[in-house]
Amino acid sequence: MSPMNPAGPARGVLVTGASRGIGRAVAHAFAARGDRVAVHYGSDAAQAEATLAALPGEGHIVVGGDLADPDAAERIAATAENALGGVDVLVNNAAVATSAANAHPVAEVSYEDWQRVWRRMVDVNLLGAANLGYCVARHLIARGAPGRIVHVGSRGAFRGEPDHPAYGASKAALHALGQSLAVALAPHGIAVTSVAPGFTATDRVADRLTGPSGRALREQSPFGRVGTPEEVAAAVLYLASPEATWASGTVLDLNGASHLRL
């Protein structure tokens, strides 16, 4: 069992898509706090094991599964619940992200490709998060325990994603799901929030930060840079804290003033 720490008792935390990038930073932030972390991955087991090996503390596990599969989501939740002695915090971070390979501007792609990308993004980014949230919430309710669910959404939900409309729509729906769950689960002591990061410097998008494209991305923010995974992780850590209970229903912008919404 992990020791107590000044931030409060150790908790069980399930972080999806934690094999790299934002998910890896989130997993590390919780582990550094003294929590037990389930590192979820969709396909890259080696990177998930690397995340696990770098986590401070003990009691952590790796759990794999395709969140597009409802049975896999149920299994992932049950595995983490049993291995961690209960999942107190769920961070829904896993997503099919924007890339050249899955771009689908309406004027340029075939109807077949349009359908394929939409189905995959909705299945993972929205339905996978919804199914996992349901399973974790039901475990919390059965235990009579308070809990936290944090969704990692996107600035694109508000700004629009013309080359990746399914991504923007799925993230907007994820934010809306979080607000609906915030109302539904408050009577059970479960707070639900979302973060909406702007462009974030991860290894997956490192090539986009070089040359003119990188300069254009940095110029989107008056700070002259893009975000870091650690900045997103710090916000998630706060929203998952007992002190943030009253923030339930919040969608927190993390984009360096690159996009302001009314």
Side-chain angles (χ1 to χ4, degrees), residues 137-203:
R138 290 299 293 262
H139 287 149
L140 285 165
I141 293 168
R143 287 194 281 124
R148 297 288 184 272
I149 298 174
V150 184
H151 292 158
V152 179
S154 172
R155 171 186 69 173
F158 307 109
R159 192 185 66 159
E161 295 284 352
D163 291 337
H164 299 85
Y167 178 82
S170 67
K171 290 299 190 177
L174 185 65
H175 296 163
L177 169 66
Q179 292 184 319
S180 294
L181 291 180
V183 178
L185 296 177
H188 302 283
I190 302 169
V192 187
T193 55
S194 300
V195 294
F199 195 93
T200 305
T202 65
D203 57 349

Side-chain angles (χ1 to χ4, degrees), residues 64-115:
D66 183 359
L67 290 175
D69 178 356
D71 292 335
E74 185 176 34
R75 176 182 55 77
I76 291 162
T79 299
E81 179 78 7
N82 293 330
L84 300 179
V87 173
D88 304 297
V89 179
L90 166 64
V91 181
N92 270 320
N93 168 72
V96 179
T98 58
S99 70
N102 60 30
H104 51 288
V106 66
E108 299 176 20
V109 299
S110 68
Y111 188 51
E112 180 182 12
D113 286 341
W114 175 266
Q115 291 289 316

